[in-house]
PDB file of all heavy atoms in Angstrom:
ATOM      1  N   HIS A 272     246.592-111.059  55.234  1.00  0.00           N
ATOM      2  CA  HIS A 272     247.566-111.461  56.114  1.00  0.00           C
ATOM      3  C   HIS A 272     247.139-112.559  57.145  1.00  0.00           C
ATOM      4  O   HIS A 272     247.950-113.031  58.086  1.00  0.00           O
ATOM      5  CB  HIS A 272     248.218-110.282  56.845  1.00  0.00           C
ATOM      6  CG  HIS A 272     249.039-109.435  55.868  1.00  0.00           C
ATOM      7  ND1 HIS A 272     249.002-108.052  56.045  1.00  0.00           N
ATOM      8  CD2 HIS A 272     249.644-109.648  54.722  1.00  0.00           C
ATOM      9  CE1 HIS A 272     249.669-107.484  55.050  1.00  0.00           C
ATOM     10  NE2 HIS A 272     249.981-108.485  54.165  1.00  0.00           N
ATOM     11  N   GLY A 273     245.907-112.923  57.153  1.00  0.00           N
ATOM     12  CA  GLY A 273     245.373-113.916  58.020  1.00  0.00           C
ATOM     13  C   GLY A 273     245.293-113.479  59.589  1.00  0.00           C
ATOM     14  O   GLY A 273     245.351-114.245  60.355  1.00  0.00           O
ATOM     15  N   THR A 274     245.067-112.237  59.739  1.00  0.00           N
ATOM     16  CA  THR A 274     245.008-111.737  61.060  1.00  0.00           C
ATOM     17  C   THR A 274     243.536-111.201  61.440  1.00  0.00           C
ATOM     18  O   THR A 274     243.352-110.628  62.590  1.00  0.00           O
ATOM     19  CB  THR A 274     245.992-110.441  61.329  1.00  0.00           C
ATOM     20  OG1 THR A 274     245.686-109.501  60.369  1.00  0.00           O
ATOM     21  CG2 THR A 274     247.434-110.951  61.122  1.00  0.00           C
ATOM     22  N   LEU A 275     242.506-111.623  60.598  1.00  0.00           N
ATOM     23  CA  LEU A 275     241.206-111.337  61.038  1.00  0.00           C
ATOM     24  C   LEU A 275     240.800-112.064  62.401  1.00  0.00           C
ATOM     25  O   LEU A 275     241.317-113.155  62.545  1.00  0.00           O
ATOM     26  CB  LEU A 275     240.212-111.832  60.000  1.00  0.00           C
ATOM     27  CG  LEU A 275     239.705-110.832  58.867  1.00  0.00           C
ATOM     28  CD1 LEU A 275     238.627-111.519  58.093  1.00  0.00           C
ATOM     29  CD2 LEU A 275     239.381-109.483  59.289  1.00  0.00           C
ATOM     30  N   ASP A 276     240.028-111.433  63.189  1.00  0.00           N
ATOM     31  CA  ASP A 276     239.575-112.066  64.492  1.00  0.00           C
ATOM     32  C   ASP A 276     238.588-113.268  64.136  1.00  0.00           C
ATOM     33  O   ASP A 276     237.945-113.279  62.994  1.00  0.00           O
ATOM     34  CB  ASP A 276     239.103-111.031  65.386  1.00  0.00           C
ATOM     35  CG  ASP A 276     237.695-110.392  64.964  1.00  0.00           C
ATOM     36  OD1 ASP A 276     236.747-111.093  64.898  1.00  0.00           O
ATOM     37  OD2 ASP A 276     237.742-109.226  64.619  1.00  0.00           O
ATOM     38  N   ALA A 277     238.424-114.115  65.071  1.00  0.00           N
ATOM     39  CA  ALA A 277     237.690-115.317  64.975  1.00  0.00           C
ATOM     40  C   ALA A 277     236.206-114.969  64.581  1.00  0.00           C
ATOM     41  O   ALA A 277     235.578-115.730  63.721  1.00  0.00           O
ATOM     42  CB  ALA A 277     237.703-116.129  66.220  1.00  0.00           C
ATOM     43  N   LYS A 278     235.664-113.933  65.076  1.00  0.00           N
ATOM     44  CA  LYS A 278     234.306-113.604  64.950  1.00  0.00           C
ATOM     45  C   LYS A 278     234.089-113.257  63.451  1.00  0.00           C
ATOM     46  O   LYS A 278     233.111-113.528  62.786  1.00  0.00           O
ATOM     47  CB  LYS A 278     233.862-112.552  65.835  1.00  0.00           C
ATOM     48  CG  LYS A 278     232.380-112.198  65.694  1.00  0.00           C
ATOM     49  CD  LYS A 278     231.960-111.079  66.757  1.00  0.00           C
ATOM     50  CE  LYS A 278     230.487-110.646  66.545  1.00  0.00           C
ATOM     51  NZ  LYS A 278     230.183-109.522  67.367  1.00  0.00           N
ATOM     52  N   ALA A 279     235.062-112.411  62.954  1.00  0.00           N
ATOM     53  CA  ALA A 279     234.977-112.006  61.508  1.00  0.00           C
ATOM     54  C   ALA A 279     235.086-113.064  60.640  1.00  0.00           C
ATOM     55  O   ALA A 279     234.424-113.209  59.522  1.00  0.00           O
ATOM     56  CB  ALA A 279     236.024-110.830  61.264  1.00  0.00           C
ATOM     57  N   GLN A 280     235.986-114.119  60.982  1.00  0.00           N
ATOM     58  CA  GLN A 280     236.256-115.199  60.140  1.00  0.00           C
ATOM     59  C   GLN A 280     234.972-116.049  60.113  1.00  0.00           C
ATOM     60  O   GLN A 280     234.569-116.618  59.091  1.00  0.00           O
ATOM     61  CB  GLN A 280     237.209-116.071  60.855  1.00  0.00           C
ATOM     62  CG  GLN A 280     238.565-116.316  60.136  1.00  0.00           C
ATOM     63  CD  GLN A 280     238.735-116.015  58.645  1.00  0.00           C
ATOM     64  OE1 GLN A 280     239.613-115.215  58.475  1.00  0.00           O
ATOM     65  NE2 GLN A 280     238.060-116.616  57.777  1.00  0.00           N
ATOM     66  N   ARG A 281     234.228-116.267  61.271  1.00  0.00           N
ATOM     67  CA  ARG A 281     233.038-116.997  61.290  1.00  0.00           C
ATOM     68  C   ARG A 281     231.965-116.504  60.434  1.00  0.00           C
ATOM     69  O   ARG A 281     231.281-117.133  59.864  1.00  0.00           O
ATOM     70  CB  ARG A 281     232.563-117.188  62.711  1.00  0.00           C
ATOM     71  CG  ARG A 281     233.332-118.309  63.566  1.00  0.00           C
ATOM     72  CD  ARG A 281     232.503-118.658  64.857  1.00  0.00           C
ATOM     73  NE  ARG A 281     232.227-117.480  65.673  1.00  0.00           N
ATOM     74  CZ  ARG A 281     233.155-117.067  66.593  1.00  0.00           C
ATOM     75  NH1 ARG A 281     234.380-117.539  66.767  1.00  0.00           N
ATOM     76  NH2 ARG A 281     232.861-115.964  67.362  1.00  0.00           N
ATOM     77  N   ARG A 282     231.865-115.138  60.427  1.00  0.00           N
ATOM     78  CA  ARG A 282     230.869-114.473  59.645  1.00  0.00           C
ATOM     79  C   ARG A 282     231.029-114.725  58.124  1.00  0.00           C
ATOM     80  O   ARG A 282     230.078-114.850  57.350  1.00  0.00           O
ATOM     81  CB  ARG A 282     230.962-112.886  59.835  1.00  0.00           C
ATOM     82  CG  ARG A 282     229.767-112.232  59.278  1.00  0.00           C
ATOM     83  CD  ARG A 282     229.799-110.688  59.769  1.00  0.00           C
ATOM     84  NE  ARG A 282     228.511-110.240  59.404  1.00  0.00           N
ATOM     85  CZ  ARG A 282     227.904-109.120  59.866  1.00  0.00           C
ATOM     86  NH1 ARG A 282     228.661-108.354  60.821  1.00  0.00           N
ATOM     87  NH2 ARG A 282     226.679-108.608  59.435  1.00  0.00           N
ATOM     88  N   ILE A 283     232.277-114.989  57.674  1.00  0.00           N
ATOM     89  CA  ILE A 283     232.608-115.230  56.307  1.00  0.00           C
ATOM     90  C   ILE A 283     232.162-116.632  56.074  1.00  0.00           C
ATOM     91  O   ILE A 283     231.589-116.945  54.989  1.00  0.00           O
ATOM     92  CB  ILE A 283     234.056-115.056  56.069  1.00  0.00           C
ATOM     93  CG1 ILE A 283     234.330-113.483  56.067  1.00  0.00           C
ATOM     94  CG2 ILE A 283     234.539-115.592  54.721  1.00  0.00           C
ATOM     95  CD1 ILE A 283     235.860-113.225  55.963  1.00  0.00           C
ATOM     96  N   GLY A 284     232.571-117.488  56.977  1.00  0.00           N
ATOM     97  CA  GLY A 284     232.077-119.040  56.879  1.00  0.00           C
ATOM     98  C   GLY A 284     233.036-119.917  56.098  1.00  0.00           C
ATOM     99  O   GLY A 284     232.639-121.040  55.695  1.00  0.00           O
ATOM    100  N   LEU A 285     234.279-119.292  55.756  1.00  0.00           N
ATOM    101  CA  LEU A 285     235.203-120.023  55.075  1.00  0.00           C
ATOM    102  C   LEU A 285     236.477-120.067  55.949  1.00  0.00           C
ATOM    103  O   LEU A 285     236.914-118.902  56.217  1.00  0.00           O
ATOM    104  CB  LEU A 285     235.457-119.573  53.656  1.00  0.00           C
ATOM    105  CG  LEU A 285     234.266-119.676  52.725  1.00  0.00           C
ATOM    106  CD1 LEU A 285     234.658-118.700  51.361  1.00  0.00           C
ATOM    107  CD2 LEU A 285     234.000-121.029  52.254  1.00  0.00           C
ATOM    108  N   PRO A 286     237.199-121.159  56.222  1.00  0.00           N
ATOM    109  CA  PRO A 286     238.397-121.067  56.931  1.00  0.00           C
ATOM    110  C   PRO A 286     239.590-120.410  56.134  1.00  0.00           C
ATOM    111  O   PRO A 286     239.656-120.856  54.965  1.00  0.00           O
ATOM    112  CB  PRO A 286     238.698-122.526  57.347  1.00  0.00           C
ATOM    113  CG  PRO A 286     237.948-123.209  56.180  1.00  0.00           C
ATOM    114  CD  PRO A 286     236.814-122.554  55.773  1.00  0.00           C
ATOM    115  N   TRP A 287     240.255-119.521  56.889  1.00  0.00           N
ATOM    116  CA  TRP A 287     241.318-118.782  56.208  1.00  0.00           C
ATOM    117  C   TRP A 287     242.510-119.793  55.700  1.00  0.00           C
ATOM    118  O   TRP A 287     242.863-120.678  56.453  1.00  0.00           O
ATOM    119  CB  TRP A 287     241.875-117.791  57.089  1.00  0.00           C
ATOM    120  CG  TRP A 287     242.885-116.847  56.428  1.00  0.00           C
ATOM    121  CD1 TRP A 287     242.602-115.775  55.810  1.00  0.00           C
ATOM    122  CD2 TRP A 287     244.311-117.001  56.303  1.00  0.00           C
ATOM    123  NE1 TRP A 287     243.744-115.193  55.251  1.00  0.00           N
ATOM    124  CE2 TRP A 287     244.852-115.848  55.574  1.00  0.00           C
ATOM    125  CE3 TRP A 287     245.199-118.050  56.692  1.00  0.00           C
ATOM    126  CZ2 TRP A 287     246.195-115.754  55.223  1.00  0.00           C
ATOM    127  CZ3 TRP A 287     246.532-117.997  56.362  1.00  0.00           C
ATOM    128  CH2 TRP A 287     246.990-116.786  55.595  1.00  0.00           C
ATOM    129  N   SER A 288     243.061-119.522  54.537  1.00  0.00           N
ATOM    130  CA  SER A 288     244.195-120.022  54.103  1.00  0.00           C
ATOM    131  C   SER A 288     244.812-119.100  53.120  1.00  0.00           C
ATOM    132  O   SER A 288     244.161-118.394  52.377  1.00  0.00           O
ATOM    133  CB  SER A 288     243.970-121.505  53.512  1.00  0.00           C
ATOM    134  OG  SER A 288     243.274-121.280  52.190  1.00  0.00           O
ATOM    135  N   SER A 289     246.137-119.239  52.868  1.00  0.00           N
ATOM    136  CA  SER A 289     246.807-118.412  51.879  1.00  0.00           C
ATOM    137  C   SER A 289     246.220-118.705  50.422  1.00  0.00           C
ATOM    138  O   SER A 289     246.188-117.883  49.507  1.00  0.00           O
ATOM    139  CB  SER A 289     248.382-118.566  51.942  1.00  0.00           C
ATOM    140  OG  SER A 289     248.635-119.872  51.732  1.00  0.00           O
ATOM    141  N   SER A 290     245.932-119.940  50.103  1.00  0.00           N
ATOM    142  CA  SER A 290     245.417-120.259  48.940  1.00  0.00           C
ATOM    143  C   SER A 290     243.914-119.735  48.695  1.00  0.00           C
ATOM    144  O   SER A 290     243.609-119.380  47.481  1.00  0.00           O
ATOM    145  CB  SER A 290     245.444-121.931  48.693  1.00  0.00           C
ATOM    146  OG  SER A 290     244.565-122.460  49.611  1.00  0.00           O
ATOM    147  N   LEU A 291     243.204-119.675  49.794  1.00  0.00           N
ATOM    148  CA  LEU A 291     241.886-119.050  49.694  1.00  0.00           C
ATOM    149  C   LEU A 291     242.085-117.562  49.461  1.00  0.00           C
ATOM    150  O   LEU A 291     241.354-116.963  48.656  1.00  0.00           O
ATOM    151  CB  LEU A 291     241.026-119.313  50.836  1.00  0.00           C
ATOM    152  CG  LEU A 291     239.576-118.825  50.810  1.00  0.00           C
ATOM    153  CD1 LEU A 291     238.811-119.562  49.667  1.00  0.00           C
ATOM    154  CD2 LEU A 291     238.886-119.091  52.174  1.00  0.00           C
ATOM    155  N   VAL A 292     242.931-116.837  50.026  1.00  0.00           N
ATOM    156  CA  VAL A 292     243.335-115.442  49.734  1.00  0.00           C
ATOM    157  C   VAL A 292     243.589-115.142  48.306  1.00  0.00           C
ATOM    158  O   VAL A 292     242.936-114.461  47.716  1.00  0.00           O
ATOM    159  CB  VAL A 292     244.430-114.925  50.579  1.00  0.00           C
ATOM    160  CG1 VAL A 292     244.899-113.574  50.166  1.00  0.00           C
ATOM    161  CG2 VAL A 292     244.298-114.936  51.996  1.00  0.00           C
ATOM    162  N   ASN A 293     244.353-116.118  47.757  1.00  0.00           N
ATOM    163  CA  ASN A 293     244.861-115.994  46.368  1.00  0.00           C
ATOM    164  C   ASN A 293     243.584-116.295  45.502  1.00  0.00           C
ATOM    165  O   ASN A 293     243.350-115.531  44.527  1.00  0.00           O
ATOM    166  CB  ASN A 293     245.850-116.994  45.879  1.00  0.00           C
ATOM    167  CG  ASN A 293     246.277-116.837  44.528  1.00  0.00           C
ATOM    168  OD1 ASN A 293     246.669-115.883  44.112  1.00  0.00           O
ATOM    169  ND2 ASN A 293     246.125-117.988  43.782  1.00  0.00           N
ATOM    170  N   ARG A 294     242.729-117.276  45.832  1.00  0.00           N
ATOM    171  CA  ARG A 294     241.590-117.566  44.943  1.00  0.00           C
ATOM    172  C   ARG A 294     240.580-116.437  44.945  1.00  0.00           C
ATOM    173  O   ARG A 294     239.972-116.039  44.045  1.00  0.00           O
ATOM    174  CB  ARG A 294     240.816-118.825  45.791  1.00  0.00           C
ATOM    175  CG  ARG A 294     239.694-119.386  44.910  1.00  0.00           C
ATOM    176  CD  ARG A 294     238.359-119.169  45.718  1.00  0.00           C
ATOM    177  NE  ARG A 294     237.322-119.540  44.885  1.00  0.00           N
ATOM    178  CZ  ARG A 294     236.323-118.584  44.404  1.00  0.00           C
ATOM    179  NH1 ARG A 294     236.491-117.368  44.634  1.00  0.00           N
ATOM    180  NH2 ARG A 294     235.546-119.055  43.535  1.00  0.00           N
ATOM    181  N   THR A 295     240.422-115.800  46.225  1.00  0.00           N
ATOM    182  CA  THR A 295     239.525-114.715  46.379  1.00  0.00           C
ATOM    183  C   THR A 295     239.964-113.499  45.485  1.00  0.00           C
ATOM    184  O   THR A 295     239.032-112.878  44.742  1.00  0.00           O
ATOM    185  CB  THR A 295     239.506-114.276  47.872  1.00  0.00           C
ATOM    186  OG1 THR A 295     238.987-115.357  48.571  1.00  0.00           O
ATOM    187  CG2 THR A 295     238.634-113.036  48.078  1.00  0.00           C
ATOM    188  N   CYS A 296     241.219-113.151  45.489  1.00  0.00           N
ATOM    189  CA  CYS A 296     241.784-112.110  44.611  1.00  0.00           C
ATOM    190  C   CYS A 296     241.618-112.430  43.287  1.00  0.00           C
ATOM    191  O   CYS A 296     241.280-111.538  42.332  1.00  0.00           O
ATOM    192  CB  CYS A 296     243.164-111.641  45.188  1.00  0.00           C
ATOM    193  SG  CYS A 296     243.230-110.981  46.861  1.00  0.00           S
ATOM    194  N   VAL A 297     242.046-113.555  42.822  1.00  0.00           N
ATOM    195  CA  VAL A 297     242.031-114.087  41.362  1.00  0.00           C
ATOM    196  C   VAL A 297     240.524-113.870  40.886  1.00  0.00           C
ATOM    197  O   VAL A 297     240.299-113.467  39.699  1.00  0.00           O
ATOM    198  CB  VAL A 297     242.685-115.199  41.133  1.00  0.00           C
ATOM    199  CG1 VAL A 297     242.381-115.856  39.859  1.00  0.00           C
ATOM    200  CG2 VAL A 297     244.208-115.262  41.504  1.00  0.00           C
ATOM    201  N   ALA A 298     239.530-114.325  41.662  1.00  0.00           N
ATOM    202  CA  ALA A 298     238.169-114.336  41.292  1.00  0.00           C
ATOM    203  C   ALA A 298     237.767-112.929  41.031  1.00  0.00           C
ATOM    204  O   ALA A 298     236.914-112.573  40.171  1.00  0.00           O
ATOM    205  CB  ALA A 298     237.347-115.074  42.283  1.00  0.00           C
ATOM    206  N   VAL A 299     238.177-112.039  41.935  1.00  0.00           N
ATOM    207  CA  VAL A 299     237.885-110.594  41.708  1.00  0.00           C
ATOM    208  C   VAL A 299     238.431-110.005  40.373  1.00  0.00           C
ATOM    209  O   VAL A 299     237.839-109.404  39.529  1.00  0.00           O
ATOM    210  CB  VAL A 299     238.571-109.655  42.884  1.00  0.00           C
ATOM    211  CG1 VAL A 299     238.367-108.158  42.489  1.00  0.00           C
ATOM    212  CG2 VAL A 299     237.635-109.943  44.132  1.00  0.00           C
ATOM    213  N   GLY A 300     239.713-110.462  40.106  1.00  0.00           N
ATOM    214  CA  GLY A 300     240.375-110.119  38.807  1.00  0.00           C
ATOM    215  C   GLY A 300     239.539-110.724  37.715  1.00  0.00           C
ATOM    216  O   GLY A 300     239.471-110.098  36.584  1.00  0.00           O
ATOM    217  N   GLY A 301     238.917-111.827  37.856  1.00  0.00           N
ATOM    218  CA  GLY A 301     238.141-112.501  36.949  1.00  0.00           C
ATOM    219  C   GLY A 301     236.852-111.687  36.453  1.00  0.00           C
ATOM    220  O   GLY A 301     236.587-111.524  35.340  1.00  0.00           O
ATOM    221  N   THR A 302     236.254-111.110  37.515  1.00  0.00           N
ATOM    222  CA  THR A 302     235.041-110.233  37.151  1.00  0.00           C
ATOM    223  C   THR A 302     235.501-108.908  36.498  1.00  0.00           C
ATOM    224  O   THR A 302     234.775-108.423  35.669  1.00  0.00           O
ATOM    225  CB  THR A 302     234.128-110.041  38.478  1.00  0.00           C
ATOM    226  OG1 THR A 302     233.729-111.255  38.958  1.00  0.00           O
ATOM    227  CG2 THR A 302     233.158-109.122  38.193  1.00  0.00           C
ATOM    228  N   ILE A 303     236.649-108.443  36.954  1.00  0.00           N
ATOM    229  CA  ILE A 303     237.201-107.181  36.341  1.00  0.00           C
ATOM    230  C   ILE A 303     237.413-107.471  34.851  1.00  0.00           C
ATOM    231  O   ILE A 303     237.056-106.698  33.956  1.00  0.00           O
ATOM    232  CB  ILE A 303     238.534-106.734  37.030  1.00  0.00           C
ATOM    233  CG1 ILE A 303     238.153-106.255  38.418  1.00  0.00           C
ATOM    234  CG2 ILE A 303     239.121-105.476  36.213  1.00  0.00           C
ATOM    235  CD1 ILE A 303     239.431-105.843  39.309  1.00  0.00           C
ATOM    236  N   LEU A 304     238.128-108.628  34.488  1.00  0.00           N
ATOM    237  CA  LEU A 304     238.390-109.015  33.127  1.00  0.00           C
ATOM    238  C   LEU A 304     237.090-109.226  32.256  1.00  0.00           C
ATOM    239  O   LEU A 304     236.950-108.802  31.199  1.00  0.00           O
ATOM    240  CB  LEU A 304     239.303-110.219  33.180  1.00  0.00           C
ATOM    241  CG  LEU A 304     239.714-110.712  31.796  1.00  0.00           C
ATOM    242  CD1 LEU A 304     240.319-109.661  30.854  1.00  0.00           C
ATOM    243  CD2 LEU A 304     240.630-111.923  31.851  1.00  0.00           C
ATOM    244  N   THR A 305     236.112-109.937  33.025  1.00  0.00           N
ATOM    245  CA  THR A 305     234.921-110.120  32.269  1.00  0.00           C
ATOM    246  C   THR A 305     234.224-108.849  31.954  1.00  0.00           C
ATOM    247  O   THR A 305     233.643-108.755  30.784  1.00  0.00           O
ATOM    248  CB  THR A 305     233.958-111.009  33.291  1.00  0.00           C
ATOM    249  OG1 THR A 305     234.619-112.192  33.613  1.00  0.00           O
ATOM    250  CG2 THR A 305     232.711-111.288  32.517  1.00  0.00           C
ATOM    251  N   ALA A 306     234.180-107.999  32.846  1.00  0.00           N
ATOM    252  CA  ALA A 306     233.667-106.655  32.519  1.00  0.00           C
ATOM    253  C   ALA A 306     234.337-105.931  31.438  1.00  0.00           C
ATOM    254  O   ALA A 306     233.668-105.301  30.507  1.00  0.00           O
ATOM    255  CB  ALA A 306     233.668-105.725  33.727  1.00  0.00           C
TER     256      ALA A 306
END
């Protein structure tokens, strides 16, 4: 939902966006499917 605090965001190192959320989840789905 994009409500992580700034420190937690910096620790990740990638700026938040709704498209990055989708990319992150789809990539997880990719590894599940690969397995």
